[in-house]
Amino acid sequence: LAKTTQPISMDSYEGQEVNITCSHNNIATNDYITWYQQFPSQGPRFIIQGYKTKVTNEVASLFIPADRKSSTLSLPRVSLSDTAVYYCLGFNTNAGKSTFGDGTTLTVKP
Amino acid sequence: DAGVIQSPRHEVTEMGQEVTLRCKPISGHNSLFWYRQTMMRGLELLIYFNNNVPIDDSGMPEDRFSAKMPNASFSTLKIQPSEPRDSAVYFCATNRDKISDEYGYTFGSGTRLTVV
């Protein structure tokens, strides 16, 4: 499974766009990149997944360059309620499982 | 859909006692995962099932831990005997397909276990 590296923490202000980058140099052909969000006292919640190029949904965008060695989660116009831990992980379709890393604690300030 | 249902939400037990955590997956989800979360070790995958069959239990810390999935609607994680270092939040997560994670895992609310 791909080992991922993320910044430990990030700060932002309400209304700003936030980009969280994840490094996964040893990503395998069968790995998809998946992002989760976790609030205190709750289980992680799926945000978005991609294999390459760009994926967008109603919550976020995910950019994965051609070499797939990194990915960037983009959160448009964050609000205070986006303060959470964000996890980048690789989902291996052969193994059928994912391994969570340490995550990035995003703090959105007023 | 009620989502992934875990019980109990909180469990406080004495060292040496048996603890059983329960999970009811979302109907139609074929894969079920047990995770443990602590401040020190983060989210650790303990074991996962596909179509009720254990596929990978390499994350189970030791023989004191066991997990079963007798049918598609129910799974248990048992710790016997429990130790203080087992204190953590235990999450159950399910996924509709082993091959595709298109919709991601759906996590339950977790069981906070405290062993004193």
Side-chain angles (χ1 to χ4, degrees):
Chain A
L1 296 176
K3 176 176 169 55
T4 59
T5 304
Q6 309 172 232
I8 294 174
S9 63
M10 292 182 67
D11 289 343
S12 182
Y13 291 92
E14 282 189 294
Q16 289 187 332
E17 177 184 78
V18 171
N19 295 310
I20 306 175
T21 298
C22 178
S23 173
H24 28 82
N25 291 318
N26 65 336
I27 191 169
T29 303
N30 296 317
D31 286 342
Y32 283 72
I33 297 303
T34 312
W35 285 80
Y36 285 80
Q37 174 192 57
Q38 187 178 25
F39 298 113
S41 302
Q42 295 185 24
R45 183 178 72 99
F46 173 82
I47 301 175
I48 196 167
Q49 177 193 267
Y51 187 79
K52 60 181 176 181
T53 65
K54 177 181 176 181
V55 179
T56 298
N57 61 24
E58 65 278 5
V59 177
S61 295
L62 178 60
F63 302 89
I64 304 174
D67 65 7
R68 303 200 331 118
K69 294 185 182 300
S70 66
S71 59
T72 300
L73 174 73
S74 180
L75 304 172
R77 297 179 300 281
V78 295
S79 63
L80 295 176
S81 61
D82 292 318
T83 293
V85 179
Y86 291 83
Y87 294 96
C88 162
L89 54 158
F91 176 79
N92 186 276
T93 54
N94 281 345
K97 65 179 184 180
S98 299
T99 300
F100 282 80
D102 295 331
T104 296
T105 299
L106 172 66
T107 302
V108 180
K109 302 175 181 178
Chain B
D1 193 332
V4 176
I5 301 174
Q6 290 187 247
S7 63
R9 285 298 308 274
H10 302 275
E11 176 81 30
V12 180
T13 190
E14 292 184 347
M15 182 174 62
Q17 296 297 307
E18 177 181 292
V19 175
T20 299
L21 311 180
R22 298 173 176 79
C23 175
K24 177 178 170 55
I26 293 174
S27 177
H29 280 200
N30 297 326
S31 293
L32 183 143
F33 306 80
W34 282 100
Y35 281 89
R36 176 173 69 175
Q37 186 171 36
T38 61
M39 289 294 293
M40 292 297 296
R41 302 175 68 90
L43 272 159
E44 303 173 274
L45 176 64
L46 301 178
I47 185 171
Y48 88 94
F49 297 83
N50 182 250
N51 292 324
N52 312 336
V53 176
I55 303 300
D56 187 342
D57 65 354
S58 59
M60 296 286 263
E62 48 197 274
D63 292 344
R64 298 185 296 106
F65 285 70
S66 62
K68 294 182 180 180
M69 192 164 185
N71 57 60
S73 302
F74 186 64
S75 176
T76 59
L77 177 67
K78 184 179 294 186
I79 308 172
Q80 167 64 19
S82 58
E83 297 182 3
R85 60 192 168 120
D86 301 330
S87 297
V89 180
Y90 290 80
F91 288 106
C92 174
T94 68
N95 188 21
R96 67 181 63 196
D97 195 328
K98 172 180 179 290
I99 301 302
S100 170
D101 194 36
E102 181 181 352
Y103 301 99
Y105 299 161
T106 301
F107 279 77
S109 298
T111 294
R112 182 174 294 277
L113 173 66
T114 303
V115 183
V116 298

